[in-house]
Amino acid sequence: MRGHIIVIGSGKFGSYLASSLSARGQDVILIDKDKDAFNKLTDEFAGYEINDDAFELEVLEEAEVSKAAQVIIATNSDNANIFLAAICDEIYHVPQIFVRQSNEDKVSLLAGTRYKVIYPFNLSIQQYFNMLEGN
């Protein structure tokens, strides 16, 4: 049975998202190879932390990626995020895969995939215009 959410990358975005999902009652596993990155988590995080490299299949298997409902890939490398998305899709068949990208330069690489791409910069611009129109 699928159910938990895996977040790969405990930077500002990944940590806040993992904490927010955990606060909403989701079962969250957070993976990062930098132990200090977990310091960004809020007190609301009640999930499980794996301090290791998500490029190692054993680490993904420890997180039970094959049973995950979704994976959110939010490392600081767009290329790494795309590669990890392909692994989660092709090897483990995760139903929902979200991929953080810093810029749209690689949008052609993601065309035709089923990944949901998150561009924080674009979301910030959109939020600005939503707020502007609300005034």
Side-chain angles (χ1 to χ4, degrees), residues 36-124:
D36 293 334
F38 296 110
N39 294 335
K40 295 177 184 81
L41 290 166
T42 69
D43 292 338
E44 297 173 317
F45 184 74
Y48 182 68
E49 302 165 18
I50 298 177
N51 179 214
D52 215 330
D53 191 347
F55 280 100
E56 301 293 333
L57 295 181
E58 296 82 21
V59 173
L60 293 174
E61 290 169 7
E62 177 185 348
E64 296 186 321
V65 68
S66 62
K67 296 179 182 177
Q70 63 180 256
V71 173
I72 303 158
I73 307 165
T75 75
N76 61 2
S77 169
D78 287 355
N79 291 338
N81 293 350
I82 292 169
F83 184 73
L84 285 167
I87 290 172
C88 291
D89 186 20
E90 297 296 324
I91 296 175
Y92 297 105
H93 311 291
V94 177
Q96 289 187 311
I97 301 171
F98 295 84
V99 182
R100 179 187 172 270
Q101 294 287 281
S102 296
N103 60 57
E104 295 184 32
D105 292 346
K106 296 179 182 70
V107 70
S108 62
L109 293 174
L110 299 166
T113 67
R114 59 183 191 82
Y115 315 145
K116 294 174 175 56
V117 183
I118 301 168
Y119 295 105
F121 177 79
N122 291 1
L123 293 173
S124 296

Side-chain angles (χ1 to χ4, degrees), residues 14-26 28 41-42 44-45:
S15 293
Y16 186 77
L17 187 56
S19 294
S20 297
L21 289 166
S22 185
R24 291 177 178 215
Q26 297 290 329
V28 180
L41 290 166
T42 69
E44 297 173 317
F45 184 74

